[in-house]
Amino acid sequence: MSASSSTHSEIPLSERGPAPRNVVVSFGFWLFLLSDIVIFAALFAAFAVLSHETAGGPSGDDLFDRNRVLLETAILLASSFTCGLMSLTVEQRKLIPAVAWGAATFLLGATFVGMELSEFHGMIESGAGPDRSAFLSAFFALVGTHGLHVSAGLFWLLVMFAQVLTLGFRPMVLRRLRCFSLFWHALDIVWIGVFTIVYLGAR
């Protein structure tokens, strides 16, 4: 063993200087995801407390079309599948398949957001807007926040398309694509909670 490597092994891990960029980026992004989970946990808690406070207005059972929401859920889960395929082809540095699966992810995500906006529009048109009751305020806050996250993910995906096409599969681009994939899958997990608690649990 050389003198330099022996000296290096004697230095505690916490004192060996800055961590590699991949480690720093991964750690920072997981912290971001955890902060997002905390936000959604607070919104879920608020919805659980206020879900019966309808102020004489319509309840979830009166408003929700579960077949439509089931279709929305299937579309979002399908986008998670195509996002996974995009990640695999990115790791294999296959440009055309990566762009194709990314485009499929974008279209499915955009369809999900469109259906969600259509649901919101129909509810507001029927007088069941967020100002109608505490239940509806909590509903729009929770589901709307998730929809905003999906919309932000779609914008992020467009930016990643531009970077892949102009910069190629550079390490920086690959790191960002991995972060996007984590973000997208996290949104699917949150939506499973929304579908189960908000829509299936509606009374």
Side-chain angles (χ1 to χ4, degrees):
M1 180 182 294
S2 66
S4 61
S5 61
S6 175
T7 303
H8 183 74
S9 63
E10 292 171 359
I11 301 174
L13 185 62
S14 60
E15 298 176 9
R16 289 182 191 172
R21 180 169 294 182
N22 278 339
V23 174
V24 174
V25 170
S26 298
F27 180 71
F29 196 73
W30 275 108
L31 285 181
F32 164 73
L33 285 180
L34 288 173
S35 69
D36 244 15
I37 295 298
V38 170
I39 291 172
F40 278 110
L43 291 172
F44 273 115
F47 181 83
V49 171
L50 300 173
S51 59
H52 301 295
E53 304 298 329
T54 60
S59 66
D61 199 37
D62 301 323
L63 293 168
F64 301 150
D65 181 349
R66 290 188 177 89
N67 291 330
R68 177 194 179 95
V69 180
L70 181 61
L71 179 60
E72 280 184 64
T73 303
I75 289 171
L76 193 63
L77 293 181
S79 78
S80 193
F81 177 70
T82 57
C83 181
L85 293 175
M86 179 188 74
S87 298
L88 288 175
T89 51
V90 164
E91 294 299 329
Q92 296 168 356
R93 311 294 195 272
K94 295 178 178 177
L95 178 61
I96 300 300
V99 172
W101 288 120
T105 303
F106 183 88
L107 288 175
L108 290 166
T111 302
F112 173 84
V113 172
M115 292 181 71
E116 197 165 77
L117 288 175
S118 174
E119 179 188 28
F120 285 179
H121 181 263
M123 290 173 67
I124 293 171
E125 284 290 304
S126 66
D131 58 343
R132 178 65 183 83
S133 66
F135 155 66
L136 285 168
S137 296
F139 168 80
F140 276 94
L142 173 57
V143 181
T145 300
H146 180 270
L148 282 176
H149 276 70
V150 176
S151 301
L154 292 175
F155 177 73
W156 186 359
L157 185 55
L158 286 178
V159 172
M160 293 316 304
F161 274 143
Q163 292 194 1
V164 167
L165 293 175
T166 56
L167 302 175
F169 294 119
R170 295 184 182 181
M172 172 187 68
V173 176
L174 293 177
R175 279 197 301 274
R176 292 172 180 170
L177 281 168
R178 291 187 193 109
C179 289
F180 168 79
S181 181
L182 279 175
F183 178 74
W184 198 256
H185 294 310
L187 291 181
D188 277 2
I189 294 171
V190 171
W191 180 257
I192 293 299
V194 172
F195 178 63
T196 305
I197 296 172
V198 175
Y199 289 101
L200 294 184
R203 297 283 186 274

